[in-house]
Amino acid sequence: MNAEIISVGTELLLGNIVNTDARDLALTLSELGINVFWQTVVGDNRERLTAALGVAAKRADLIITTGGLGPTCDDLTKQTVCAAFGIEMYYDQKAEEDLRAYFRVGKGGQMTENNLQQCWLPVGCTPFYNTCGTAPGCGFTTPEGKSVLILPGPPKEMNAMMAHGGVDFLRTLSDEHILSHNIMTFGMGESRIEDMLRDEMNALQNPTLAPYAKEGEVRLRVTAKAASASQAEAMMAPVIADVKRALGDIVYGIDTPSLEDTVLHLLLERGATFAAAESCTGGLIAKRITDIPGSSAVFRGGVTVYTNDVKLLLGVKPETLEAHSAVSREVAAELAECVRTKLGADYGLGITGVAGPDSDGLHAVGTVFVGLSTARETYVRALNLGERTDRSRVRTLSANHAFDMLRRSILGLPVA
Amino acid sequence: MNAEIISVGTELLLGNIVNTDARDLALTLSELGINVFWQTVVGDNRERLTAALGVAAKRADLIITTGGLGPTCDDLTKQTVCAAFGIEMYYDQKAEEDLRAYFRVGKGGQMTENNLQQCWLPVGCTPFYNTCGTAPGCGFTTPEGKSVLILPGPPKEMNAMMAHGGVDFLRTLSDEHILSHNIMTFGMGESRIEDMLRDEMNALQNPTLAPYAKEGEVRLRVTAKAASASQAEAMMAPVIADVKRALGDIVYGIDTPSLEDTVLHLLLERGATFAAAESCTGGLIAKRITDIPGSSAVFRGGVTVYTNDVKLLLGVKPETLEAHSAVSREVAAELAECVRTKLGADYGLGITGVAGPDSDGLHAVGTVFVGLSTARETYVRALNLGERTDRSRVRTLSANHAFDMLRRSILGLPVA
């Protein structure tokens, strides 16, 4: 079974919002083993939505619409879908009761009459009542045998409805399972990885193996299709093992969200902590680790040492700055040591470099030193991230390297 | 002229990434006065991409593809587009030189041969060389008179290429001048602004005035269509003046990139500096200011005070923490004062609060105190950002408020 997602909303075409609904639906569908081959975005326009439905009906078995279910005159998804597939509508009493209750409880009793247009649903559908908004959605099968889901646009409502009614409806339609795993790597370029794995990637049909690059990392996606989830898992396991064997310790996780998340869990397991003194990354390491709930258990804190004065305050020696300049292996090492001892952490990170666009007069843009200090040793990785690389990429890659060194140190792998 | 955006990438269909490229392109196109009626997402699949191009060629004048330009075997956009429109390809020497320079400078001289497939471009196109990645894009017109832009998928590369080559190419297609300005505001909700300006917005046809909300801010976009750029500017000027008069000091700039950029320039003009002590924002303020080149002239540094120990190290009094808890008006004030004096800055920011998802047991998620300390006074803004708000939004809004307080203090406006 293959699906097309049709997102309805002029605000998407104007770029006022990002289409997170399509992403969320795609994730859920892939977990259900349903291939999404197409996504279409169309405005609140009857004619063009009808055209989109016509195209989708030719190429997809399952059509899922999001958006256009509200009470205003430009909410026309349900009517348009029903007209396109020749299905009558009926007035759903339960939807009206829900709606009146929703307004009674939450909105001070005021409900305008136009809200009632939301109670019309396709004859013969399975209604999905809305648990956190007003418009109900539904699932049904067209006379031609296409399956259709109609869902609301606001992400919270769409996700809640999909998790309840939508997924149940879809499970009744398919018995194929498609599963994916992401092999997360750091430390080798996409083309080099592809060179190493080309034969395997070309030979594989089911499961498939494909690389994609993201923010200085490369991920390898393994996808299998089978009659059951456990069969799909069994088909993927040897491929994952092969890739891990070929790539070694640059693989930092399977399906882990990020390097920093991996570091967080490694530290949590050991009851260990870290702290960071950041010059060119300017708080990015602190920001990335504290993006994750629960990071306070492993992150003591950080200092953005954006001026030499502040580096001295943290404890870097004036003679080190004098002799080697702020962007140096020696300063990275001292930053790492000082922040570790001063903030009472098990691991200290110290980053100094030239993020650009301008050079500091001594070093090329992209010259970065990342220090890692433990109670026993201090390591420094010297990076040359390239002059064409922009500021944001220099910072992101530097932070990636810092988390990578931390991961490798915790695991006892070679660090610098 | 109406456009269709075709985003190519299996990772989009699997829900691994959100399609921000489509949103960014849609915004740029709407500023250029080009209607986007359709967006399509298709996987790295020759057959389905060919089908998508066929559908788009029937209903759009301009087709823009993103993604599928890289060096790997599933990057097949250019070949497929050329085949679909019957256009030959040529090998671009300048692209190869760029590519070799890119690898020579940034990657230690290692370039695998598969990278060279990126140098093939459609005969007769305008090449867009890639300033922050490897794959070039291009613009051309098909034998049937359709305009086509081919852009890379990574958002940074796509946006840079669109801003340079892409927009220039599109401007050559029309002799109508459509210009936009964005009026940047912080401190009032979208519906309140819409209420205040509704009559003006409804009355205006050319220029138009439309609000859009983004990351806790509201921007008002003024767009004029005219025979010349200067005519368009003259039409927009009185509308911008009216809006500034109506909204007063919540307007922080016209076309300014962000609140932090505004703050940076205000400080630069005055030769003044700031420092930040961040608890719940965990380095986000430091990260956002140091995202901007030249920030070292105004940002002394920051401390991520993620544990009480580190708050004490900075100079917060134990009795203040004891009496009022870490999340309090008093601690925000002391953080701001301590970081200002300790780091020798003119302004100090101190942020403490509950970003969630879990409460600290004393305060609701979204409770945040933002302190601002100057040589003369200390202000604290108490925020209640709402229990339904997620962690990332609490952090973003808190940082916005901190920059807003700094802006208002520098300008002598009421702060807290």
Side-chain angles (χ1 to χ4, degrees), chain B residues 55 119 256:
Chain B
V55 170
C119 305
T256 11

Side-chain angles (χ1 to χ4, degrees), chain A residues 170-361:
Chain A
L170 293 177
R171 280 200 203 280
T172 64
L173 303 177
S174 160
D175 37 33
E176 204 174 47
H177 290 255
I178 300 183
L179 273 82
S180 286
H181 287 298
N182 286 299
I183 305 171
M184 315 291 288
T185 78
F186 180 79
M188 206 183 276
E190 186 181 11
S191 42
R192 212 173 130 205
I193 288 183
E194 181 164 321
D195 262 3
M196 290 176 65
L197 299 174
R198 179 167 299 119
D199 292 344
E200 177 139 26
M201 289 196 289
N202 288 340
L204 286 168
Q205 294 290 334
N206 181 23
T208 58
L209 177 64
Y212 60 109
K214 200 180 169 185
E215 309 240 293
E217 297 184 10
V218 179
R219 302 177 184 182
L220 289 141
R221 190 173 47 230
V222 188
T223 306
K225 197 181 293 195
S228 75
S230 58
Q231 218 175 313
E233 293 288 3
M235 289 158 71
M236 285 186 282
V239 176
I240 294 172
D242 276 359
V243 171
K244 285 173 84 168
R245 204 174 308 118
L247 299 182
D249 61 25
I250 71 160
V251 175
Y252 70 80
I254 308 294
D255 301 326
T256 12
S258 62
L259 263 173
E260 54 268 33
D261 192 89
T262 301
V263 163
L264 188 145
H265 286 95
L266 290 174
L267 290 169
L268 268 184
E269 286 162 16
R270 289 156 180 80
T273 61
F274 82 103
E278 309 184 52
S279 185
C280 65
T281 50
L284 181 59
I285 289 176
K287 187 258 173 202
R288 279 172 55 174
I289 194 75
T290 64
D291 275 342
I292 312 173
S295 47
S296 57
V298 307
F299 184 57
R300 298 279 304 162
V303 186
T304 301
V305 290
Y306 223 54
T307 44
N308 278 352
D309 292 358
V310 180
K311 292 185 183 76
L312 295 172
L313 263 177
L314 187 68
V316 172
K317 294 192 210 84
E319 52 271 29
T320 312
L321 280 172
E322 182 66 31
H324 303 283
S325 93
V327 176
S328 62
R329 179 176 285 276
E330 291 75 11
V331 168
E334 284 194 22
L335 285 171
E337 288 155 19
C338 293
V339 82
R340 177 177 65 80
T341 52
K342 207 146 197 172
L343 271 63
D346 299 302
Y347 297 88
L349 290 170
I351 297 91
T352 180
V354 186
D358 299 322
S359 152
D360 65 347

Side-chain angles (χ1 to χ4, degrees), chain A residues 18 23 38-39 41 48 194-195 221 282 286-287 290-291 300 302 304 307 309 313 342 388 390-391 395, chain B residues 14 16 18 23 39 41 72 130 156 282 286-287 290-291 300-302 304 307 309 313 342 391 395:
Chain A
V18 184
R23 190 267 320 265
W38 306 92
Q39 296 173 2
V41 181
R48 285 192 287 272
E194 181 164 321
D195 262 3
R221 190 173 47 230
K287 187 258 173 202
T290 64
D291 275 342
R300 298 279 304 162
T304 301
T307 44
D309 292 358
L313 263 177
K342 207 146 197 172
R388 294 238 319 227
D390 70 12
R391 181 175 177 88
R395 285 154 56 91
Chain B
L14 285 170
N16 288 333
V18 183
R23 189 269 317 272
Q39 297 172 3
V41 181
T72 73
N130 197 323
K156 214 170 296 175
K287 186 257 174 202
T290 63
D291 276 340
R300 298 279 303 164
T304 300
T307 45
D309 291 358
L313 263 178
K342 207 145 197 173
R391 181 175 177 88
R395 284 156 55 93

Side-chain angles (χ1 to χ4, degrees), chain B residues 93-106:
Chain B
Q93 289 299 339
K94 164 97 169 74
E96 179 177 339
E97 283 161 31
D98 277 11
L99 204 57
R100 295 205 179 271
Y102 180 90
F103 279 91
R104 205 161 38 237
V105 173

